[in-house]
CSV table of all heavy atoms in Angstrom, one decimal:
chain,number,residue,atom,x,y,z
A,290,LEU,N,6.2,-22.6,76.4
A,290,LEU,CA,6.1,-21.8,75.3
A,290,LEU,C,5.6,-20.4,75.8
A,290,LEU,O,4.7,-20.2,76.5
A,290,LEU,CB,5.1,-22.3,74.3
A,290,LEU,CG,5.5,-23.6,73.7
A,290,LEU,CD1,4.2,-24.3,73.1
A,290,LEU,CD2,6.5,-23.5,72.7
A,291,ASP,N,6.0,-19.3,75.2
A,291,ASP,CA,5.6,-18.0,75.4
A,291,ASP,C,4.6,-17.7,74.2
A,291,ASP,O,5.0,-17.9,73.0
A,291,ASP,CB,6.6,-16.8,75.4
A,291,ASP,CG,7.4,-17.0,76.6
A,291,ASP,OD1,6.9,-17.3,77.7
A,291,ASP,OD2,8.6,-16.8,76.5
A,292,GLN,N,3.3,-17.3,74.5
A,292,GLN,CA,2.3,-17.2,73.5
A,292,GLN,C,1.7,-15.9,73.4
A,292,GLN,O,1.3,-15.3,74.5
A,292,GLN,CB,1.2,-18.3,73.7
A,292,GLN,CG,0.1,-18.3,72.6
A,292,GLN,CD,-0.8,-19.5,72.8
A,292,GLN,OE1,-0.3,-20.6,72.6
A,292,GLN,NE2,-2.0,-19.3,73.0
A,293,VAL,N,1.6,-15.3,72.2
A,293,VAL,CA,0.8,-14.0,72.0
A,293,VAL,C,-0.3,-14.3,71.1
A,293,VAL,O,-0.1,-14.8,70.0
A,293,VAL,CB,1.8,-12.9,71.3
A,293,VAL,CG1,1.0,-11.7,71.1
A,293,VAL,CG2,3.0,-12.7,72.3
A,294,THR,N,-1.5,-13.9,71.5
A,294,THR,CA,-2.7,-14.2,70.7
A,294,THR,C,-3.4,-12.8,70.5
A,294,THR,O,-3.6,-12.1,71.4
A,294,THR,CB,-3.6,-15.2,71.4
A,294,THR,OG1,-2.8,-16.3,71.7
A,294,THR,CG2,-4.8,-15.5,70.5
A,295,THR,N,-3.8,-12.6,69.2
A,295,THR,CA,-4.6,-11.3,69.0
A,295,THR,C,-6.0,-11.8,68.4
A,295,THR,O,-6.0,-12.6,67.5
A,295,THR,CB,-3.9,-10.5,67.9
A,295,THR,OG1,-2.5,-10.1,68.4
A,295,THR,CG2,-4.7,-9.2,67.5
A,296,TYR,N,-7.0,-11.3,68.9
A,296,TYR,CA,-8.4,-11.5,68.6
A,296,TYR,C,-9.0,-10.4,67.9
A,296,TYR,O,-8.7,-9.2,68.3
A,296,TYR,CB,-9.3,-11.8,69.8
A,296,TYR,CG,-8.8,-13.0,70.6
A,296,TYR,CD1,-7.8,-12.9,71.7
A,296,TYR,CD2,-9.3,-14.3,70.4
A,296,TYR,CE1,-7.5,-14.0,72.4
A,296,TYR,CE2,-8.9,-15.4,71.1
A,296,TYR,CZ,-7.9,-15.2,72.2
A,296,TYR,OH,-7.5,-16.3,72.9
A,297,GLU,N,-9.9,-10.6,66.9
A,297,GLU,CA,-10.6,-9.5,66.3
A,297,GLU,C,-12.0,-9.9,66.1
A,297,GLU,O,-12.3,-11.0,65.5
A,297,GLU,CB,-10.0,-9.2,64.9
A,297,GLU,CG,-10.8,-8.1,64.2
A,297,GLU,CD,-10.1,-7.7,62.9
A,297,GLU,OE1,-9.0,-8.1,62.6
A,297,GLU,OE2,-10.8,-6.8,62.2
A,298,VAL,N,-13.0,-9.2,66.6
A,298,VAL,CA,-14.4,-9.4,66.5
A,298,VAL,C,-14.8,-9.3,65.0
A,298,VAL,O,-14.6,-8.3,64.3
A,298,VAL,CB,-15.2,-8.5,67.3
A,298,VAL,CG1,-16.6,-8.8,67.1
A,298,VAL,CG2,-14.8,-8.8,68.8
A,299,THR,N,-15.5,-10.4,64.5
A,299,THR,CA,-15.9,-10.3,63.1
A,299,THR,C,-17.5,-10.2,63.0
A,299,THR,O,-18.0,-9.8,62.0
A,299,THR,CB,-15.5,-11.5,62.3
A,299,THR,OG1,-16.0,-12.7,63.0
A,299,THR,CG2,-14.0,-11.6,62.2
A,300,LYS,N,-18.2,-10.6,64.1
A,300,LYS,CA,-19.7,-10.6,64.1
A,300,LYS,C,-20.1,-10.5,65.6
A,300,LYS,O,-19.6,-11.2,66.4
A,300,LYS,CB,-20.2,-11.8,63.4
A,300,LYS,CG,-21.7,-11.9,63.4
A,300,LYS,CD,-22.2,-13.1,62.6
A,300,LYS,CE,-23.7,-13.2,62.6
A,300,LYS,NZ,-24.1,-14.4,61.9
A,301,LEU,N,-21.2,-9.7,65.8
A,301,LEU,CA,-21.8,-9.7,67.1
A,301,LEU,C,-23.3,-10.0,66.9
A,301,LEU,O,-23.9,-9.4,66.0
A,301,LEU,CB,-21.7,-8.3,67.8
A,301,LEU,CG,-20.3,-8.0,68.4
A,301,LEU,CD1,-20.3,-6.5,68.8
A,301,LEU,CD2,-20.0,-8.9,69.6
A,302,THR,N,-23.9,-10.8,67.8
A,302,THR,CA,-25.3,-10.9,67.9
A,302,THR,C,-25.8,-10.6,69.3
A,302,THR,O,-25.0,-10.2,70.1
A,302,THR,CB,-25.7,-12.3,67.6
A,302,THR,OG1,-25.3,-13.3,68.6
A,302,THR,CG2,-25.2,-12.8,66.2
A,303,ASP,N,-27.1,-10.7,69.5
A,303,ASP,CA,-27.6,-10.4,70.9
A,303,ASP,C,-27.0,-11.3,72.0
A,303,ASP,O,-26.8,-10.9,73.1
A,303,ASP,CB,-29.1,-10.5,71.0
A,303,ASP,CG,-29.8,-9.4,70.2
A,303,ASP,OD1,-29.1,-8.3,70.0
A,303,ASP,OD2,-31.0,-9.5,69.9
A,304,THR,N,-26.6,-12.6,71.6
A,304,THR,CA,-26.1,-13.5,72.5
A,304,THR,C,-24.7,-14.1,72.2
A,304,THR,O,-24.3,-14.9,72.9
A,304,THR,CB,-27.1,-14.6,72.7
A,304,THR,OG1,-27.2,-15.3,71.4
A,304,THR,CG2,-28.4,-14.2,73.2
A,305,GLY,N,-24.1,-13.6,71.2
A,305,GLY,CA,-22.8,-14.2,70.8
A,305,GLY,C,-21.8,-13.5,70.1
A,305,GLY,O,-22.1,-12.2,69.8
A,306,VAL,N,-20.7,-14.0,69.8
A,306,VAL,CA,-19.6,-13.2,69.2
A,306,VAL,C,-18.8,-14.2,68.4
A,306,VAL,O,-18.6,-15.4,68.7
A,306,VAL,CB,-18.7,-12.5,70.3
A,306,VAL,CG1,-18.0,-13.5,71.1
A,306,VAL,CG2,-17.6,-11.6,69.5
A,307,ALA,N,-18.5,-13.8,67.2
A,307,ALA,CA,-17.5,-14.5,66.2
A,307,ALA,C,-16.3,-13.7,66.2
A,307,ALA,O,-16.3,-12.5,66.2
A,307,ALA,CB,-18.2,-14.7,64.9
A,308,TYR,N,-15.1,-14.4,66.0
A,308,TYR,CA,-13.8,-13.7,66.0
A,308,TYR,C,-12.8,-14.5,65.1
A,308,TYR,O,-13.0,-15.7,64.8
A,308,TYR,CB,-13.3,-13.7,67.4
A,308,TYR,CG,-13.1,-15.0,68.1
A,308,TYR,CD1,-11.9,-15.7,67.9
A,308,TYR,CD2,-14.1,-15.7,68.8
A,308,TYR,CE1,-11.8,-17.0,68.4
A,308,TYR,CE2,-13.9,-16.9,69.3
A,308,TYR,CZ,-12.8,-17.5,69.1
A,308,TYR,OH,-12.7,-18.9,69.6
A,309,ASP,N,-11.8,-13.8,64.7
A,309,ASP,CA,-10.7,-14.3,64.0
A,309,ASP,C,-9.5,-14.2,65.0
A,309,ASP,O,-9.5,-13.3,65.9
A,309,ASP,CB,-10.3,-13.5,62.7
A,309,ASP,CG,-11.2,-13.8,61.6
A,309,ASP,OD1,-11.9,-14.9,61.6
A,309,ASP,OD2,-11.3,-13.0,60.7
A,310,VAL,N,-8.5,-15.0,64.9
A,310,VAL,CA,-7.4,-15.0,65.8
A,310,VAL,C,-6.1,-15.3,65.2
A,310,VAL,O,-6.1,-16.0,64.1
A,310,VAL,CB,-7.7,-16.1,66.9
A,310,VAL,CG1,-7.8,-17.5,66.3
A,310,VAL,CG2,-6.6,-16.1,68.1
A,311,THR,N,-5.0,-14.6,65.6
A,311,THR,CA,-3.6,-15.0,65.2
A,311,THR,C,-2.9,-15.3,66.4
A,311,THR,O,-3.1,-14.6,67.4
A,311,THR,CB,-3.0,-13.8,64.4
A,311,THR,OG1,-3.0,-12.7,65.2
A,311,THR,CG2,-3.8,-13.5,63.1
A,312,THR,N,-1.9,-16.2,66.3
A,312,THR,CA,-1.1,-16.7,67.5
A,312,THR,C,0.3,-16.9,67.0
A,312,THR,O,0.6,-17.4,66.0
A,312,THR,CB,-1.7,-18.0,67.9
A,312,THR,OG1,-3.0,-17.9,68.4
A,312,THR,CG2,-0.9,-18.5,69.2
A,313,THR,N,1.2,-16.4,67.9
A,313,THR,CA,2.6,-16.8,67.8
A,313,THR,C,3.0,-17.5,69.1
A,313,THR,O,2.7,-17.1,70.1
A,313,THR,CB,3.5,-15.6,67.5
A,313,THR,OG1,3.3,-14.7,68.6
A,313,THR,CG2,3.1,-14.9,66.2
């Protein structure tokens, strides 16, 4: 499979990151 993934940062802390993702 050929895969394209887009990430978007939704939250940042001093030690972490939260994100949303879309994939085809």
Side-chain angles (χ1 to χ4, degrees):
L290 302 162
D291 293 316
Q292 180 169 298
V293 177
T294 305
T295 302
Y296 299 89
E297 182 175 351
V298 174
T299 58
K300 181 180 178 183
L301 286 173
T302 67
D303 289 342
T304 60
V306 60
Y308 59 89
D309 287 338
V310 62
T311 59
T312 301
T313 59

